[in-house]
Amino acid sequence: MQQLIPIVNKLQDAFVQMGVHMSLDLPQIAVVGGQSAGKSSVLENFVGRDFLPRGSGIVTRRPLILQLINSNAEYAEFLHCKGKKFTDFNEVRGEIEAETDRITGSNKGISPVPINLRVYSPNDALLLVLNLTLIDLPGLTKVPIGDQPADIEQQIKAMIFQFIRRESCLILAVTPANTDLANSDALKLAKEVDPQGLRTIGVITKLDLMDEGTDARDVLENKLLPLRRGYIGVVNRSQKDIDGRKDISAALAAERKFFLSHPSYRHIADRLGTPYLQRVLNQQLTNHIRDTLPGLRDKLQKQLLTLEKDVDQYKHFRPDDPSIKTKAMLQMIQQLQTDFERTIEGSGSAQINTNELSGGAKINRLFHERFPFEIVKMEFDEKELRREIAFAIRNIHGIRVGLFTPDMAFEAIVKKQIARLKEPSLKCVDLVVQELSNVVRFCTERVRFMI
C-alpha cells in the first residue's frame, strides 16, 4: 500500500509535464490556514530543513505541491528544472521565490499555477521520513498590500476552493492555539466544502504560546468542534528560534519534551507532535487513495476508451469527408467556448499574462475599482439638492398645503439623480465590451493557430 502515494505522484507529474488540464481528481492533501498560523513551520519540520520563503504579507503566492520521499540521499528537485538537483536548501528557497515572481511578478500578486517540488530525505533519529504529498496554499489576508487588487481575499479564497472542494482532497486545517478556534480561517474554509468534517484533519500549532493557565485539551481530545479525523497538536520553532537558526532536530526534541512534561498533554503525548502527524497523514492519504482507487480506475478506463476510439477514427481519416469537417468545426467552437470561459473565470492555464490585467481580472477591476471611482468623482451639492426637493414639493402641491411628501416629487428627484449615473455607466459598459472583444480576439487567434 505504501507504493500508492508514489504512483499518484507520477500521475500528477505526467499531467503537469504534458501541459494538459487534469480532469482526474487525484487524491491529495491541501494545507490551509491564515497568515502566521504556522503552515510553513509544519512543512519544514516534515522535511527537516528550512526551505520555504518567509516574510511579512503573503509569502505563499502560488500553490506548492510538495512531494516528500524517503531516500538515502538528501536533495530537492523542481519539475520545471528537470534533472537539476538542489543540495543547498537556501537555493531551494531562492528558486521558489524566483519561479513565483516569474508568473506573478514582484507585486505580491497570486497565481493558481502550482510549483512542483520533490524533496528526498533520509530518516532522522526523531523523525521517520514517510512518503507524503502536500499542497501548500496561500494564507488568507484581509488587507491588500502593494499593488494587490482590492479583492485579494476573494481571489485567495477562490484559489483555495479550487483545490479543497474536490471530494478526493483531504484538508489539513492549520490553526494557532492562541486564537479562538471558532474564528479559525482554516476551519471556516473547510466547513464550507466539508460541513460534516469527514475530509478535514485539524492541526493545532503554537500550543506553547497559550496564556498561562489555559490549554487546548478539549480541542485535542476532539470534544470542541469535533472532526471525523480529529486534531493533532504540534509545537513549531518560534521566530527567535528561526532567526537563531535553531536546528529542526533540536526543535523536535524540544517539542517531545514539552508534551511529555505538560500536565494537560502528557496523557496523550503519543498522539501529539510532528512525527505522529506525519505518520497519520501518510496513513490517511494511503487509505484515501485506496478508497478512491476504484472510481479513479473507472475514469481512466473511460478516458482510455475515448482516446482509443479517436485514434481508430484517425486511422481511416479522409480530409474530404463532410462528417470530419463538421466534427472539426464543432471541436473548434467548443475550444473557443472553453478558452473564453477560462479567460473570464480565471484558470491555471499556462498562457498567463504577467504584464497587465486582462480578461476576467480586468473586467473585475473595471466594476470594483474604475466604476466606483467614476461615481465618487461626480460632483454632489447637498444644498442644491435640498433646494430642488423643496421646489419640486411646492410645485406639486400648488396652492394647497400638504402634510406628506408627494410620490411625484420623489420620482422626479430620483430620476434626475439616476440620469447622472448614465454617463459613467455607459463608459464602464464600453470598457467591458472592449475587453470582451479583446478576449474573443485572443481566443479566436488560438483557434486559428490550432488550424
Side-chain angles (χ1 to χ4, degrees):
M1 295 302 293
Q2 287 298 321
Q3 296 303 313
L4 287 177
I5 295 177
I7 289 172
V8 172
N9 289 344
K10 289 180 181 179
L11 283 172
Q12 289 175 330
D13 291 348
F15 277 111
V16 173
Q17 288 176 312
M18 289 188 296
V20 299
H21 176 64
M22 190 172 69
S23 57
L24 290 172
D25 290 339
L26 297 176
Q28 53 197 3
I29 300 177
V31 186
V32 299
Q35 287 190 41
S36 303
K39 295 191 294 100
S40 296
S41 295
V42 170
L43 296 179
E44 287 182 336
N45 285 351
F46 287 163
V47 174
R49 290 283 187 172
D50 294 316
F51 71 99
L52 292 173
R54 294 182 180 273
S56 59
I58 302 176
V59 178
T60 305
R61 295 186 285 129
R62 290 177 59 186
L64 175 67
I65 300 179
L66 173 64
Q67 298 177 11
L68 185 59
I69 301 170
N70 188 302
S71 170
N72 293 327
E74 185 178 38
Y75 61 94
E77 289 182 336
F78 288 94
L79 203 60
H80 64 271
C81 299
K82 199 66 177 176
K84 182 178 180 180
K85 295 182 179 180
F86 292 79
T87 55
D88 184 345
F89 282 80
N90 288 322
E91 292 184 7
V92 173
R93 181 188 297 109
E95 182 60 31
I96 292 174
E97 293 172 342
E99 180 63 12
T100 298
D101 289 344
R102 186 181 70 82
I103 295 294
T104 65
S106 56
N107 63 347
K108 299 293 183 182
I110 64 171
S111 168
V113 181
I115 297 174
N116 289 67
L117 171 64
R118 284 182 176 176
V119 177
Y120 297 81
S121 296
N123 292 330
D124 184 83
L126 294 172
L127 185 64
L128 177 66
V129 176
L130 300 172
N131 293 332
L132 195 59
T133 301
L134 300 160
I135 303 175
D136 186 22
L137 297 171
L140 279 180
T141 181
K142 307 294 182 183
V143 181
I145 61 174
D147 297 330
Q148 289 176 346
D151 64 338
I152 185 67
E153 182 181 3
Q154 285 70 36
Q155 289 189 28
I156 294 175
K157 281 185 176 180
M159 184 196 299
I160 293 173
F161 285 138
Q162 181 180 331
F163 288 89
I164 67 174
R165 69 161 55 99
R166 300 170 183 166
E167 288 296 322
S168 60
C169 179
L170 295 178
I171 306 167
L172 194 66
V174 182
T175 303
N178 55 355
T179 61
D180 186 1
L181 194 68
N183 296 323
S184 165
D185 290 329
L187 291 176
K188 282 182 180 178
L189 291 172
K191 190 83 172 174
E192 290 191 40
V193 296
D194 182 30
Q196 303 299 320
L198 302 178
R199 296 187 286 118
T200 304
I201 305 167
V203 175
I204 307 299
T205 62
K206 303 185 180 182
L207 289 164
D208 54 328
L209 301 181
M210 297 186 71
D211 294 336
E212 189 174 351
T214 62
D215 59 59
R217 179 172 175 172
D218 286 346
V219 176
L220 296 175
E221 290 180 347
N222 212 19
K223 296 177 180 177
L224 183 67
L225 297 177
L227 298 173
R228 172 76 175 273
R229 299 173 188 266
Y231 294 86
I232 299 172
V234 297
V235 174
N236 297 326
R237 292 176 300 165
S238 65
Q239 190 58 50
K240 181 180 178 181
D241 293 335
I242 294 170
D243 295 338
R245 298 187 178 278
K246 183 176 182 178
D247 184 70
I248 290 181
S249 295
L252 292 175
E255 177 189 54
R256 179 66 176 165
K257 182 179 179 181
F258 171 82
F259 288 126
L260 287 173
S261 60
H262 198 288
S264 298
Y265 306 134
R266 62 165 67 108
H267 69 292
I268 53 172
D270 289 339
R271 289 181 279 120
L272 300 173
T274 300
Y276 179 74
L277 174 61
Q278 190 181 27
R279 290 198 303 273
V280 167
L281 293 182
N282 173 269
Q283 189 60 50
Q284 297 268 15
L285 183 58
T286 301
N287 292 342
H288 194 54
I289 293 173
R290 182 191 61 199
D291 294 341
T292 57
L293 208 55
L296 184 63
R297 182 178 58 193
D298 290 343
K299 287 184 179 179
L300 281 171
Q301 288 176 339
K302 288 177 181 177
Q303 290 191 11
L304 179 62
L305 289 174
T306 302
L307 290 173
E308 287 176 344
K309 185 177 179 181
D310 290 341
V311 170
D312 188 60
Q313 287 180 349
Y314 284 116
K315 288 180 181 178
H316 310 287
F317 178 75
R318 287 173 46 212
D320 57 341
D321 187 347
S323 64
I324 295 293
K325 293 181 180 179
T326 303
K327 184 177 180 181
M329 177 62 72
L330 288 173
Q331 287 176 339
M332 285 188 287
I333 292 173
Q334 289 174 347
Q335 185 63 48
L336 177 64
Q337 176 187 347
T338 301
D339 290 343
F340 184 83
E341 288 178 354
R342 286 185 181 179
T343 307
I344 298 299
E345 297 291 337
S347 70
S349 173
Q351 295 185 352
I352 296 176
N353 191 338
T354 59
N355 299 317
E356 61 179 356
L357 290 178
S358 61
K362 188 169 183 178
I363 293 173
N364 181 288
R365 186 173 186 178
L366 288 173
F367 278 119
H368 291 91
E369 296 181 28
R370 181 68 179 271
F371 184 57
F373 176 73
E374 294 292 336
I375 298 296
V376 172
K377 267 199 329 182
M378 293 170 55
E379 295 182 358
F380 175 76
D381 188 339
E382 185 176 352
K383 186 176 180 181
E384 178 64 21
L385 179 61
R386 289 180 180 276
R387 191 179 68 84
E388 291 178 2
I389 292 173
F391 279 134
I393 292 173
R394 292 173 65 183
N395 285 332
I396 289 172
H397 282 152
I399 62 173
R400 295 168 298 162
V401 178
L403 295 176
F404 304 102
T405 302
D407 292 343
M408 292 178 63
F410 175 76
E411 290 178 7
I413 295 299
V414 170
K415 285 180 180 178
K416 187 174 181 180
Q417 294 301 315
I418 291 176
R420 299 181 61 201
L421 299 175
K422 182 177 180 180
E423 183 179 349
S425 298
L426 290 176
K427 187 175 182 181
C428 179
V429 169
D430 288 340
L431 291 172
V432 171
V433 170
Q434 180 181 343
E435 183 56 30
L436 288 173
S437 299
N438 292 337
V439 171
V440 171
R441 194 177 303 111
F442 170 75
C443 296
T444 305
E445 286 294 323
R446 289 193 62 185
V447 172
R448 194 158 65 93
F449 179 76
M450 290 172 55
I451 300 175

